[in-house]
């Protein structure tokens, strides 16, 4: 897809991928491409949420999931110069950032949390996790 136009974001804002729609005719190529994108997360953490969203529906693939996967590829077209970089002369200050939400995933209603740790300008560690069980409010449980 070298001549495709690029997108500014890897996923569409407010996209709600559900399990309603026509099924993908060739799920093997979809799974192969999604698996390859999972390896790119190591050097491109900006796509980790988008890849996680397209991998949720690996066993019930629909056309809308294929379009979301293609959008990530289009995003790469305009961001080939991005990625993790290590700088030789950076200040030796340790800084950490974290974020969390409650039931933020509109499809699974699971909470997500993430963090990243920098030593100077170099990213040392990062994580983005989705809660194992759906979140429920106390009013809903009663």
């Amino acid at each position: 897809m070298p001549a495709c136009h690029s997108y500014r974001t890897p996923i569409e804002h407010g996209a709600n991928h559900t399990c309603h729609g026509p099924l993908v005719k060739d799920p093997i190529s979809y799974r192969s491409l999604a698996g390859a994108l999972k390896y790119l997360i190591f050097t491109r953490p900006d796509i980790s949420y988008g890849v996680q969203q397209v991998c949720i529906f690996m066993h019930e693939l629909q056309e809308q999931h294929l379009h979301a996967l293609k959008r990530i590829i289009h995003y790469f077209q305009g961001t080939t110069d991005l990625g993790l970089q290590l700088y030789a002369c950076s200040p030796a200050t340790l800084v950490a950032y974290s974020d969390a939400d409650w039931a933020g995933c509109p499809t699974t209603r699971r909470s997500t949390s993430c963090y990243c740790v920098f030593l100077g300008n170099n990213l040392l560690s990062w994580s983005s996790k989705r809660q194992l069980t759906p979140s429920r409010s106390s009013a809903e449980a009663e």
Side-chain angles (χ1 to χ4, degrees):
M1 297 173 58
C4 69
H5 65 282
S6 65
Y7 287 109
R8 294 179 53 143
T9 59
I11 60 170
E12 189 176 347
H13 178 72
N16 186 8
H17 302 290
T18 59
C19 291
H20 306 291
L23 296 175
V24 173
K25 295 177 183 170
D26 184 18
I28 294 171
S29 62
Y30 177 94
R31 291 178 185 145
S32 175
L33 185 55
L37 287 175
K38 288 177 95 174
Y39 283 105
L40 280 175
I41 291 173
F42 293 120
T43 57
R44 296 290 302 266
D46 55 333
I47 64 162
S48 61
Y49 180 76
V51 172
Q52 178 258 337
Q53 289 296 309
V54 298
C55 288
I56 288 175
F57 302 100
M58 279 286 205
H59 301 289
E60 296 181 41
L61 302 175
Q62 285 139 17
E63 292 294 328
Q64 62 179 332
H65 306 134
L66 182 61
H67 292 299
L69 186 67
K70 286 182 180 179
R71 183 181 175 101
I72 296 172
I73 302 300
H74 283 261
Y75 172 72
F76 278 124
Q77 181 66 22
T79 61
T80 56
D81 57 337
L82 295 182
L84 295 181
Q85 303 205 3
L86 299 176
Y87 301 98
C89 56
S90 62
T93 57
L94 189 64
V95 179
Y97 300 98
S98 66
D99 191 17
D101 70 353
W102 184 76
C105 181
T107 306
T108 62
R109 302 306 297 163
R110 294 181 184 180
S111 299
T112 55
S113 62
C114 61
Y115 72 85
C116 60
V117 180
F118 289 88
L119 179 62
N121 294 331
N122 298 316
L123 181 63
L124 291 181
S125 177
W126 68 275
S127 175
S128 177
K129 292 185 178 183
R130 190 169 36 126
Q131 189 181 33
L132 296 176
T133 57
S135 301
R136 295 186 148 210
S137 68
S138 60
E140 184 179 321
E142 294 172 5

